Amino acid sequence: DSREPDLEGRAPIGLLLGCALVAVVCALSSGLRAQTVLFIDPVSGQDLPSRGAQGAPLKTLSYATSLAATGIVVHDYRLAPGIYSAASGETFPIRPPRLSIVQAWPNRPGAREAVFDAGGAGTAIEFTPASVGFLQLRGLELRGADLSVDCVSPLSGPIDLAIVDSHLKGHLRFEARSASVASLVLDRARIDDGVSCFQGETGVLQLNWDRSELKVDPNGSRPDILWIDGSGSTAVADIR
């Protein structure tokens, strides 16, 4: 069963759900450790436990994520301009902790100066939190992987993935397999090889996009949006 998804109808709801989840995360984290900020520079950084301050950055996001604190903590990773690759010490796929912001720093809209080159790895970033999850990617370019971002919702609790002012040169896969709400927000995003959304029988998956380009490559191997729900029906949308 192939049908056109009512994507415009979903958009405002998805945005509200995304904002609501962010508010919940911030409210919860304010009661414990509100935020952990780590600065990363692939040129001048060093991967040592004592580093991570703006004047003494780490070298790789892979190492920074390995230092993730337990509990309800928002991890804010701020990336200096440069190429993040195996040559600079990165290990792919990179797995951010369950409440994370990964952003270029300083944040210059449209610049996308923090570039991840996966060098042919299957997946660049993998996000599969065990419980409530939030991941925002801002001001990045992801290249060198068929699957730029692979996001699978937890079995319990909501999940929110936001791609903001970023260019994904591969595919984005987003799977909602729990009974909770999953929200995907694309804001000024460019995705070259489409988006696959998988919705479980009891899950609720919402999509919102604003000023975004999907599958700019006319020879891409996938439709712009492939939406499969738990009933076995499929929706395909081509965005031009």
Side-chain angles (χ1 to χ4, degrees):
D1 176 20
S2 182
R3 52 186 166 77
E4 283 289 315
D6 181 17
L7 295 175
E8 291 193 6
R10 300 174 190 267
I13 300 174
L15 182 58
L16 290 173
L17 290 169
C19 293
L21 182 55
V22 173
V24 169
V25 167
C26 292
L28 288 173
S29 61
S30 64
L32 298 172
R33 293 177 57 194
Q35 193 175 49
T36 296
V37 179
L38 291 175
F39 291 86
I40 306 164
D41 190 318
V43 177
S44 65
Q46 290 181 287
D47 283 341
L48 299 171
S50 60
R51 297 178 68 93
Q54 188 166 11
L58 296 168
K59 185 174 180 64
T60 66
L61 179 60
S62 303
Y63 181 79
T65 58
S66 74
L67 303 176
T70 58
I72 301 175
V73 181
V74 177
H75 298 85
D76 185 350
Y77 302 104
R78 302 186 180 187
L79 310 174
I83 305 295
Y84 295 78
S85 66
S88 70
E90 295 291 354
T91 301
F92 296 95
I94 297 171
R95 296 181 173 92
R98 68 188 184 100
L99 303 174
S100 296
I101 301 169
V102 180
Q103 60 178 318
W105 192 266
N107 190 352
R108 288 184 276 265
R112 299 169 181 170
E113 296 173 299
V115 179
F116 284 89
D117 189 341
T123 303
I125 293 179
E126 183 179 274
F127 188 57
T128 56
S131 58
V132 176
F134 169 75
L135 174 63
Q136 182 186 104
L137 305 178
R138 179 183 289 271
L140 310 181
E141 179 181 305
L142 304 179
R143 67 192 190 197
D146 290 336
L147 200 56
S148 292
V149 178
D150 188 15
C151 181
V152 180
S153 75
L155 291 174
S156 62
I159 189 172
D160 187 292
L161 173 64
I163 311 294
V164 182
D165 193 19
S166 294
H167 185 182
L168 278 57
K169 294 193 171 183
H171 187 68
L172 167 62
R173 188 176 82 100
F174 189 73
E175 180 177 344
R177 59 179 183 173
S178 73
S180 299
V181 173
S183 176
L184 171 61
V185 178
L186 305 177
D187 180 2
R188 290 162 292 145
R190 177 174 170 177
I191 303 176
D192 286 1
D193 200 13
V195 178
S196 294
C197 296
F198 300 89
Q199 176 181 329
E201 290 187 12
T202 57
V204 178
L205 195 158
Q206 301 293 345
L207 170 64
N208 176 81
W209 77 84
D210 181 29
R211 294 166 291 172
S212 295
E213 300 175 62
L214 303 183
K215 206 190 77 172
V216 296
D217 178 7
N219 297 315
S221 60
R222 301 178 176 92
D224 295 343
I225 299 175
L226 174 64
W227 191 296
I228 302 174
D229 66 31
S231 67
S233 60
T234 301
V236 175
D238 288 312
I239 311 299
R240 302 302 181 201

